[in-house]
Amino acid sequence: HIRRLITQIMASMLKASVVALIGAASLVDAFAPAALPLRPSRAAAVSRISPNMAVTVTVKEKTGDKTFTCENGDILREEMLANQVELYYTMKGKAFNCGGGGNCGTCKVEVVSGKVTPRTEAENKKLKDAPATFRLACQTCVTGNVVVRNRPDA
């Protein structure tokens, strides 16, 4: 009984310390990852498009094409993953990708046709020697119907 009481007191003290230090209402809030902000160039591009308009994305793969719809302005990486499209080249890419920060280059696609936002600075750095049609899916917002080739280097 005393051990349980001490545990409850320690948990309360820890929670109070976290709230006092960082202003989080709970430990879950304290350690929850913050949403990644859009880079200014992407934010500006996304603000110019009309949201809530359905667009079609066709992904060309060696095993066949996969087509799905999403909203205008959606990030290509998120929509490909949500629609079970294989995005990464290897198991290493699946396990150790950057999660959409534009740092690793494992979500490279080729835009065959259609409308997407312009390349970001992260893409310009990662894809400086790649053709202009190569993009990072995590940095690419769909602004109209689009056809992409998945894993263009494979």
Side-chain angles (χ1 to χ4, degrees), residues 15 18-19 22-34:
K15 181 177 179 180
V18 168
V19 170
I22 59 176
S26 71
L27 289 176
V28 172
D29 293 339
F31 297 107

